[in-house]
Amino acid sequence: MTGKTKARIAIAGGGLLGRLLAWRLSRRDLDITLFEAGDLSASEGGACWTAAGMISPLSELVHSDKRVYLLGLQSLELWSDWSRQLEQQSGRKVEYRRAGSILVAHGKDRSELLQFLRELQGKLGESARGQVQLLDANALVELEPALQSFEQGLYLRGEADINNQCLLPIVLSILRQQGVNLREHSKVSCEAGQISLASGEEQFDCVIDCRGLGAKGQIEGLRGVRGEVMVVESREVVLHRPVRLLHPRYKLYAVPRSDGLTVIGATEIESEDRSPISVRSSMELSSALYSLNPAFAEARIVETRVNCRPATMDNMPYIHNEDGLVRVNGLYRHGYLLAPAMVEQVVNQVTQQLLQVV
């Protein structure tokens, strides 16, 4: 590189991580090329399209490593800032909402709710008082009028969610505006300073590999975990924030969207099968949703989505950094929770590499 030549950065993988990395790095006067094996505009693409977009560090703390919680807190603040920037750049609504989330359990499963509260308080210590609130039936209905069949609930303040169906196209449009070189239908392999395609090799100052399961052969222990969601439409039931239903066998989440839509999911299957949603899963999801509010019985199933989340053996995010190459992967079910924090780490590592080259 010279003072007159922009550093050339290759990003492999056009999912959530790849798009956010391309957006953040293209603001630093770098020559960015984003490679995607499929179509960047296809909503049936990677796991980022299937997710419900929950940014919920408190909800995940009980069953996840505390590092996930701490990275999630960092991401919460970044999402608040980044969503404003994205809306200013695009002139479109990202649909980012920071209204907290609600956890409920039916009477026979009340012990699940109280156990969750005890474990959360144990991990948070004194800070739990400002972040977690136990609600009686009246306080619960005041926050969520649709949840009238529950005696208690937990309100987790400060948690957020983002509409991935709005976010991903908006980031893509900004990448086009900022002159990022978009290479679709380009399956690649990644090495230090080099991208290999069917047509040959291309050299870069730094390669960032965030291909998800596309990097399975180059990251030991990387596996896929199947997730299934349904999107239902109902004008009768209105939720104002994500709601989780605690159950001994499965944990349902319901995330409201605009136009009367609700994204529901719960399944987490150790399989890389991407075939359509199973009858069993659809029955369990529908039954759990009906138990939130019986009026959901008349909701219409407008869409089902299936995909595989990339996960490491310990379900923790993976970053590998060497001269000319950064690999980031394994966000598991925490894609939207962890992505901004991981992007910040990668941007800092790439910046340090480029400074050393100069």
Side-chain angles (χ1 to χ4, degrees):
M1 293 186 298
T2 70
K4 295 182 180 180
T5 304
K6 292 183 179 180
R8 299 185 69 231
I9 309 296
I11 300 173
L16 178 64
L17 277 174
R19 292 178 197 224
L20 291 177
L21 279 164
W23 173 52
R24 300 308 294 178
L25 286 168
S26 64
R27 297 156 59 94
R28 299 188 173 217
D29 195 32
L30 300 170
D31 183 356
I32 309 296
T33 301
L34 177 63
F35 294 90
E36 166 56 36
D39 186 337
L40 287 166
S41 300
S43 60
E44 67 273 10
C48 60
W49 290 99
T50 306
M54 292 183 292
I55 308 160
S56 49
L58 289 166
S59 299
E60 295 295 337
L61 178 57
V62 169
H63 303 294
S64 302
D65 191 285
K66 193 167 184 178
R67 288 173 291 172
V68 171
Y69 167 72
L70 295 174
L71 288 168
L73 291 182
Q74 181 184 351
S75 288
L76 265 176
E77 300 309 316
L78 288 169
W79 274 127
S80 296
D81 184 35
W82 288 6
S83 61
R84 287 191 295 268
Q85 293 181 32
L86 290 167
E87 289 179 349
Q88 289 170 359
Q89 284 187 262
S90 67
R92 296 154 62 186
K93 291 291 292 180
V94 171
E95 293 193 19
Y96 170 79
R97 169 178 51 200
R98 192 169 182 179
S101 61
I102 296 287
L103 274 73
V104 292
H106 292 292
K108 59 183 174 55
D109 301 321
R110 183 171 176 267
S111 61
E112 295 280 329
L113 188 72
L114 297 179
Q115 179 63 24
F116 188 96
L117 175 60
R118 285 192 293 269
E119 291 186 27
L120 196 53
Q121 289 173 331
K123 290 193 173 185
L124 289 174
E126 286 299 315
S127 65
R129 294 186 180 183
Q131 300 183 72
V132 185
Q133 180 182 354
L134 182 62
L135 306 173
D136 61 19
N138 291 332
L140 178 60
V141 170
E142 187 174 343
L143 273 178
E144 289 291 347
L147 302 179
Q148 297 183 17
S149 60
F150 297 92
E151 298 177 0
Q152 287 183 313
L154 291 180
Y155 177 41
L156 307 183
R157 300 178 185 275
E159 293 198 328
D161 63 285
I162 193 164
N163 189 336
N164 56 340
Q165 305 296 310
C166 294
L167 171 72
L168 295 168
I170 285 174
V171 178
L172 181 60
S173 69
I174 292 174
L175 296 184
R176 290 193 172 106
Q177 293 171 15
Q178 294 184 172
V180 172
N181 184 16
L182 303 175
R183 303 271 293 273
E184 299 179 276
H185 307 289
S186 299
K187 188 174 182 179
V188 304
S189 62
C190 303
E191 302 296 340
Q194 179 176 289
I195 288 285
S196 298
L197 304 98
S199 58
E201 289 75 39
E202 297 184 23
Q203 305 302 313
F204 293 86
D205 294 294
C206 185
V207 173
I208 306 172
D209 182 0
C210 49
R211 291 173 292 156
L213 289 177
K216 190 174 180 182
Q218 295 180 289
I219 298 178
E220 184 178 357
L222 191 67
R223 74 191 199 282
V225 180
R226 176 180 168 100
E228 305 166 323
V229 303
M230 296 196 310
V231 182
V232 302
E233 182 179 21
S234 173
R235 300 293 176 178
E236 295 184 55
V237 185
V238 178
L239 299 175
H240 301 282
R241 54 186 56 78
V243 174
R244 294 177 186 248
L245 175 64
L246 298 181
H247 184 276
R249 194 169 76 253
Y250 51 81
K251 308 292 187 286
L252 176 95
Y253 58 79
V255 182
R257 295 288 182 236
S258 55
D259 300 323
L261 300 179
T262 302
V263 180
I264 61 173
T267 58
E268 189 173 307
I269 303 167
E270 287 290 337
S271 168
E272 295 184 9
D273 174 25
R274 287 185 172 92
S275 62
I277 191 169
S278 67
V279 171
R280 176 179 178 177
S281 294
S282 63
M283 289 176 64
E284 287 187 348
L285 289 172
S286 299
S287 175
L289 184 64
Y290 174 80
S291 74
L292 276 184
N293 188 311
F296 270 124
E298 297 304 317
R300 296 296 183 260
I301 300 173
V302 297
E303 186 182 355
T304 61
R305 304 173 191 157
V306 175
N307 221 306
C308 290
R309 314 171 182 101
T312 59
M313 295 304 293
D314 62 359
N315 295 331
M316 290 297 295
Y318 171 91
I319 287 189
H320 168 82
N321 182 20
E322 64 180 85
D323 288 345
L325 176 67
V326 179
R327 299 191 197 274
V328 55
N329 212 311
L331 268 59
Y332 185 38
R333 68 180 185 214
H334 308 127
Y336 286 83
L337 174 63
L338 299 183
M342 302 305 291
V343 165
E344 286 287 277
Q345 288 189 31
V346 173
V347 168
N348 289 337
Q349 290 176 357
V350 171
T351 301
Q352 287 300 314
Q353 286 196 25
L354 297 179
L355 287 174
Q356 291 172 10
V357 172
V358 172

